Amino acid sequence: MEPGKASAWVDPGVVAGFAASPPNLELIEYAGHQRGSSSALRVLDIGCGAGRNAVPLALSGADVIGTDLSLPMLQAAQAQHADGRLHLALAAMHALPVRDRSIDLIVAHGIWNLARSGAELRQAITEAARVAAKGAALFVFTFSRHTVQPDAAPVAGETFVFTQFSGAPQVFLTRDQLLGELRAAGFGPDPDLPLRELNLPPALSEGRAGAFRVEGPALSEDRAGAARVEGPRSQVRLGGAPVIYQAAFRFTGE
């Protein structure tokens, strides 16, 4: 999405729904474990939206930079009290206005799945690696390939970009693809928050250790492509609940 371009992300109802959405509590808890020094945790929330995670992180004492391409979303985040610790910028996921090696925790929560091509996804991950301090943490929440049918065909010329879920090109990764793309940029799994697949249909989850269905509010929102607002658990999707990969990683690159 280009700045100012009409989309669901500027719709007042969608913005209000995201502004009322609760944070991902697993992210907030994980961030709390990253504070090991006297200085404030430096957090970058890529695609922060209306601040559902960025504001609580700031209120917990972190210094947070939130980026998004929806000005109304950023305005909604700015309107919330964050103790002066939340700094917002209108920016794309692949062009972050952040200094090299300056971030302790990068949050990519429901944003990388909005990449419209493999190239855009890789640019976004490369940008995350650029701003990551040595040993920085990365929290990922993104669409699984299990969201779309096994026989679904990707967009021509792409490997993991599909339109079958929302009508718009979006990224749906297998486990190996996710790990491989992150590994190539210098991110390795953090055993403190191992990879899990959420919202997995029962037919797929049987016999899978660690896979389960999640229906709690902290995991109820994602950015899929078309608006439908239902109070504090606003959802923006056409294709039903997506299957989600959630995990943390560590930057081990140079």
Side-chain angles (χ1 to χ4, degrees):
M1 182 181 76
E2 297 300 326
K5 185 177 179 180
S7 77
W9 310 118
V10 301
D11 179 272
V14 174
V15 174
F18 271 88
S21 298
N24 185 323
L25 297 180
E26 291 190 65
L27 164 59
I28 304 304
E29 181 180 3
Y30 178 75
H33 294 316
Q34 307 312 307
R35 297 185 184 87
S37 66
S38 58
S39 60
L41 186 72
R42 301 168 298 176
V43 178
L44 170 64
D45 189 353
I46 306 170
C48 68
R52 62 170 291 197
N53 293 311
V55 170
L57 287 168
L59 290 174
S60 72
D63 287 330
V64 183
I65 299 173
T67 64
D68 206 279
L69 275 182
S70 167
L71 182 57
M73 287 283 190
L74 291 174
Q75 290 169 334
Q78 187 68 58
Q80 301 187 59
H81 173 66
D83 281 349
R85 290 184 173 275
L86 176 58
H87 310 278
L88 301 169
L90 190 70
M93 68 177 93
H94 55 270
L96 301 171
V98 180
R99 290 184 293 107
D100 294 3
R101 303 289 175 260
S102 62
I103 300 298
D104 303 313
L105 170 61
I106 300 161
V107 178
H109 194 288
I111 183 63
W112 284 346
N113 45 268
L114 291 181
R116 300 174 68 88
S117 67
E120 185 177 13
L121 174 67
R122 292 182 185 109
Q123 289 172 350
I125 295 174
T126 298
E127 270 290 86
R130 177 184 66 79
V131 305
K134 186 174 182 179
L138 167 67
F139 185 96
V140 175
F141 185 95
T142 196
F143 289 174
S144 161
R145 175 64 178 81
H146 284 131
T147 301
V148 294
Q149 293 297 318
D151 59 352
V155 171
E158 298 288 345
T159 303
F160 44 67
V161 178
F162 299 82
T163 59
Q164 287 86 342
F165 181 63
S166 70
Q170 293 177 303
V171 168
F172 299 84
L173 298 166
T174 66
R175 178 184 182 279
D176 288 347
Q177 288 169 340
L178 174 60
L179 295 176
E181 296 293 338
L182 291 174
R183 186 185 309 114
F187 291 102
D190 184 346
D192 288 343
L193 194 66
L195 185 70
R196 293 187 297 160
E197 200 165 14
L198 312 175
N199 295 337
L200 199 65
L204 291 175
S205 62
E206 293 177 0
R208 281 173 167 255
F212 55 91
R213 295 180 62 81
V214 172
E215 297 177 355
L219 300 173
S220 63
E221 293 80 32
D222 60 86
R223 295 190 164 201
R228 183 164 65 88
V229 177
E230 297 182 348
R233 295 183 64 189
S234 64
Q235 299 187 30
V236 183
R237 57 180 69 124
L238 279 178
V243 182
I244 298 290
Y245 279 123
Q246 176 177 283
F249 298 82
R250 289 283 175 184
F251 182 65
T252 59
E254 297 296 331

